[in-house]
Amino acid sequence: MVSLKKYLAPDFIKVDRLIKESLKPKGVLSNDLSLELYKSGGKKIRPTLSILAGRLGNPDKMGDVYKVSASLELLHMATLVHDDIIDDSDMRRGRATAYYEYGYFQAVSTGNLLLSTAVHLVSDIEHPEFHQTYSEAIEQIVSGELLQFNHQFNSGQSYDDYYKKIYRKTALLIVLSVRLGSYASHLDEETMEDLTGFAKHIGLSFQIIDDCLDFTGNEAALGKPKFSDLANGHFTLPVLLLRDQDERFRQDLADFKDRPELLDELISQIIGSGALEEAMDISSRHYDQAISHLEGISEPVRSYLLEIAEKLEKRLK
């Protein structure tokens, strides 16, 4: 079996062309920033999943699948630009963010341009459920950003609040990738539901891993400063787990908003506890649930999805 990269190479040439054509420099800074953000890299997980879902459907509909893949990559980029504004982030993928380099208004315009271009790319796809699914997902993504903002420095938030945030922040776009790829290629309902189950749990697992790597990873791999979630008042799964196990930590966390000097102490307590290992175990359980949904998926797509899942899971090691 050829590598995933080689298998999808012809597809990505077409997706890449669609994105670059959509963001072609027009003497407008927002266009230039959007194109540079795309060129700066990223894992391209979402377009990969869209294409793999499309490969299971009608081969005559791959042109629409490419539009979906390009659209979702642009939507993902838009969320990153807006995240950087919300989190006051100065670095993204090893370079200055649009927000820090060009200011608030240019960053907002860049995010809005990416979002509008993403929607326009798929405007002519014909499927009875496609556009309603896409529009509802965008609404949920925006509400997820608001939910994250509303719970900033909220030490009393529930696990349900946390899972709503990470579903809308990460898992939803992965679910959307396989669903829209399935709709575009007119894939059968049963296979689409299997792909959706896989995508949901691999998305949750992926985000929980990111939560842990914020404490244990290196900044070059993360593409952002370590401990930035905690520093910005975004209390992730390891933080919530330790909050419910340690009275001293719970009190320090409650005081953190008014006493930012507690940051180093909170980090030390988390790293010295078993909360990271417990969060990793929860991520692994979501990973196992994701894999269980691949049993009925046809080859070679099943093997490629398993490969993607394994690469994500290895980030725990």
Side-chain angles (χ1 to χ4, degrees), residues 13 44 121 155 170 235 280:
I13 289 172
K44 307 292 189 290
L121 264 172
S155 64
T170 300
F235 299 153
M280 289 175 183

Side-chain angles (χ1 to χ4, degrees), residues 130-287:
F130 183 96
H131 295 285
Q132 181 175 347
T133 298
Y134 201 175
S135 60
E136 287 176 351
I138 291 174
E139 182 181 7
Q140 283 194 61
I141 290 167
V142 173
S143 70
E145 294 285 4
L146 294 172
L147 186 65
Q148 178 170 280
F149 185 76
N150 288 341
H151 284 295
Q152 200 169 14
F153 293 102
N154 176 13
S155 64
Q157 64 188 274
S158 67
Y159 291 102
D160 187 53
D161 294 329
Y162 166 77
Y163 275 105
K164 282 180 181 177
K165 284 190 296 181
I166 70 166
Y167 178 78
R168 295 174 188 181
K169 176 182 179 180
T170 300
L172 176 57
L173 261 178
I174 295 177
V175 168
L176 194 62
S177 299
V178 299
R179 289 195 79 84
L180 295 187
S182 298
Y183 286 148
S185 64
H186 295 261
L187 186 61
D188 66 275
E189 185 78 20
E190 183 178 354
T191 304
M192 182 178 70
E193 291 305 321
D194 284 336
L195 291 174
T196 299
F198 167 80
K200 174 186 174 182
H201 288 288
I202 210 64
L204 294 174
S205 177
F206 178 83
Q207 185 55 51
I208 294 170
I209 292 171
D210 258 17
D211 291 350
C212 296
L213 291 177
D214 191 50
F215 294 97
T216 63
N218 64 76
E219 293 188 0
L222 289 172
K224 62 179 183 178
K226 285 180 70 172
F227 316 123
S228 59
D229 287 333
L230 181 58
N232 288 312
H234 302 314
F235 299 153
T236 55
L237 186 57
V239 177
L240 299 182
L241 290 169
L242 187 56
R243 176 201 65 183
D244 292 346
Q245 298 167 5
D246 188 291
E247 176 61 36
R248 176 191 167 196
F249 182 82
R250 179 161 57 248
Q251 187 57 57
D252 286 345
L253 193 66
D255 294 340
F256 179 45
K257 182 176 182 180
D258 298 319
R259 296 180 59 198
E261 69 273 12
L262 286 170
L263 177 61
D264 289 343
E265 176 60 28
L266 290 172
I267 292 169
S268 177
Q269 290 181 61
I270 291 167
I271 292 175
S273 74
L276 289 168
E277 289 76 10
E278 188 176 350
M280 289 175 183
D281 287 342
I282 293 170
S283 174
S284 293
R285 291 201 289 272
H286 283 292
Y287 171 84

Side-chain angles (χ1 to χ4, degrees), residues 64-77:
D64 284 346
V65 174
Y66 299 145
K67 292 177 184 177
V68 168
S69 299
S71 176
L72 289 174
E73 185 63 12
L74 294 177
L75 177 60
H76 174 56
M77 289 160 57

